[in-house]
Amino acid sequence: MYSGEIHVAVFNHVSFDEHEQVVFCHDKESGLKAIVAIHNTNLGPAVGGCRMWNYQSDDEALTDVLRLSRGMTYKNALAGLTMGGGKSVIIADPKRQDREALFRAFGRFINSLGGRYYSAEDVGTTTADIMIAHEETPYMAGLEGKSGDPSPFTALGTYLGIKAAVKHRLGLDSLKGLKIAVQGVGHVGYYLCKHLHNEGAELIVTDIHQASLDRVATDFGAIVVAPQEIYAQDVDVYAPCALGATLNDATLPQLKAKIVAGCANNQLAEVRHGEQLKEMGILYAPDYVINAGGIINVSFEKDYDAAKSTAKVEEIYNTLLKIFSQADAQNRTTGAVADEMAKAIIEAAKK
Ligand code: NAD
């Protein structure tokens, strides 16, 4: 009889959150090791990118894919898209050179799911990888020659989200003269800095990549600080646009900003950090709401129309204002209100 000695940490994983399907994929020939997580398909087939990373353990990869996949369900629901939430991870060096066999094998696994999940580019993968996988399956999104690079749309949504937060918290319609700290000036961060600069905001930026810093300093007159100094800047807005979990026990006590609004995924190390931000009087724009611009653009992939996509991304402004007002009225965190709104949309779709 099964002794119960072995603990399988999938169904009882802390981030399992009622996932519909979790698929572990292994291909001996190419060495592919991947996990596909389909969180919820009430609103339509699950859509979410494929992350390739040097995970230190299977557990780390599973935790990442489950958290990201759940985030996609909520993100797609609140963005008003007819898409469910899913995500995939490949356990491998993102700089690996021999990618063709790997992404072909990945494409075959995605194909075997019969359209329940569509994959796309994410951290560590490129459009070229997705195009290889696409040769094995139609269930790939963000294809070359279609919706293309999502970053400018994510940046537009994040910029409008910052404006909504400034309107709600500071009562201002313009960012002119406001100080904004941007952590990470990569694909999205660069375009975001451009919007902020055009509206007259003063930029304080950091990154670990010197060339990216030089570019925003030259193009937008941004002041550069060391990575560990970004949190304590005397600014109005802190915009996390690099990694996840930067809102944690070590960083929160340093914050002087009145608003946290940026594009990074999974910004809160734990839910309680959202509660702490509220107690500190800092307005937090829930990450999956403010950073939905890219996936909104991908959702327009069939018969791509940039104007329609832009109009949908612009809705992020009002969605956030609604979340902020409701959070105030109910004395709850913005994250809790956003989760509840998303869940209501997902449940209604089931009926
Ligand atoms: P990117 O890799 O182009 O940019 C990230 C930047 O952060 C890089 O320039 C990197 O050097 C920098 N960085 C890494 N570690 C850092 C550190 N410790 N301190 C300071 N800077 C650091 O990625 P991206 O596409 O711009 O995405 C940025 C974030 O937004 C990620 O969290 C991503 O998951 C999220 N996001 C991106 C999109 C999109 O459309 N690209 C959509 C939704 C969410």
Side-chain angles (χ1 to χ4, degrees):
M1 207 176 90
Y2 178 59
S3 70
E5 285 296 313
I6 299 166
H7 298 280
V8 180
V10 182
F11 293 117
N12 57 358
H13 191 287
V14 67
S15 302
F16 182 69
D17 192 48
E18 299 178 350
H19 263 76
E20 287 179 13
Q21 196 174 6
V22 181
V23 186
F24 293 80
C25 314
H26 176 238
D27 177 65
K28 193 177 163 194
E29 307 302 314
S30 62
L32 176 78
K33 279 203 275 176
I35 311 174
V36 181
I38 298 176
H39 179 247
N40 188 287
T41 56
N42 287 8
L43 286 162
V47 184
C50 172
R51 183 167 290 195
M52 181 149 132
W53 202 245
N54 268 327
Y55 293 104
Q56 295 306 302
S57 65
D58 296 353
D59 206 35
E60 196 191 336
L62 179 65
T63 301
D64 206 30
V65 78
L66 291 176
R67 289 191 67 185
L68 290 165
S69 157
R70 171 186 180 273
M72 289 310 299
T73 301
Y74 288 17
K75 183 185 300 200
N76 293 342
L78 267 191
L81 307 177
T82 51
M83 305 188 321
K87 200 90 182 183
S88 47
V89 294
I90 294 179
I91 302 167
D93 181 356
K95 296 204 169 63
R96 182 179 158 147
Q97 295 299 309
D98 53 330
R99 300 169 89 93
E100 168 134 13
L102 197 75
F103 280 93
R104 279 194 180 279
F106 178 70
R108 288 193 296 274
F109 277 114
I110 299 305
N111 201 50
S112 73
L113 295 170
R116 280 177 54 74
Y117 166 68
Y118 282 69
S119 194
E121 176 192 344
D122 195 70
V123 175
T125 58
T126 65
T127 318
D129 298 328
I130 296 307
M131 294 311 286
I132 293 170
H134 183 50
E135 287 178 23
E136 304 285 340
T137 179
Y139 309 126
M140 289 284 152
L143 304 175
E144 277 168 14
K146 298 255 179 138
S147 67
D149 181 8
S151 306
F153 292 86
T154 305
L156 173 64
T158 306
Y159 158 64
L160 294 171
I162 290 175
K163 282 181 72 69
V166 164
K167 171 83 180 163
H168 183 84
R169 179 69 176 77
L170 307 177
L172 299 173
D173 287 310
S174 167
L175 304 180
K176 193 169 167 45
L178 293 188
K179 291 192 175 129
I180 303 184
V182 181
Q183 178 185 39
V185 287
H187 288 105
V188 181
Y190 177 83
Y191 292 115
L192 174 64
C193 286
K194 189 173 186 176
H195 286 294
L196 301 175
H197 172 72
N198 286 346
E199 203 172 309
E202 287 177 35
L203 301 174
I204 294 150
V205 299
T206 195
D207 202 287
I208 50 169
H209 191 231
Q210 190 59 42
S212 304
L213 286 170
D214 292 346
R215 204 156 70 117
V216 287
T218 307
D219 293 358
F220 313 127
I223 296 166
V224 173
V225 299
Q228 66 277 15
E229 288 171 7
I230 198 74
Y231 306 103
Q233 294 301 312
D234 192 4
V235 292
D236 301 286
V237 180
Y238 159 53
C241 298
L243 313 166
T246 59
L247 298 167
N248 55 46
D249 290 339
T251 60
L252 287 197
Q254 301 179 47
L255 291 184
K256 295 196 183 80
K258 298 170 200 75
I259 292 164
V260 174
C263 71
N265 277 311
N266 295 335
Q267 291 170 27
L268 299 169
E270 293 174 43
V271 175
R272 68 184 170 87
H273 295 113
E275 284 149 19
Q276 207 175 321
L277 282 171
K278 177 175 171 289
E279 281 160 24
M280 291 167 75
I282 298 173
L283 180 64
Y284 169 65
D287 45 15
Y288 65 78
V289 184
I290 192 170
N291 74 12
I295 194 74
I296 290 172
N297 193 50
V298 167
S299 79
F300 283 87
E301 180 134 305
K302 264 189 199 167
D303 309 318
Y304 183 66
D305 183 333
K308 279 188 189 161
S309 172
T310 303
K312 191 81 180 161
V313 173
E314 285 169 356
E315 290 177 13
I316 290 174
Y317 181 89
N318 281 329
T319 305
L320 279 170
L321 281 186
K322 206 166 136 189
I323 291 167
F324 296 152
S325 305
Q326 206 160 309
D328 279 358
Q330 300 173 351
N331 192 24
R332 295 166 72 201
T333 64
T334 52
V337 169
D339 282 2
E340 189 178 83
M341 281 183 181
K343 279 182 190 161
I345 295 167
I346 297 156
E347 278 307 305
K350 196 169 159 189
K351 287 170 198 147

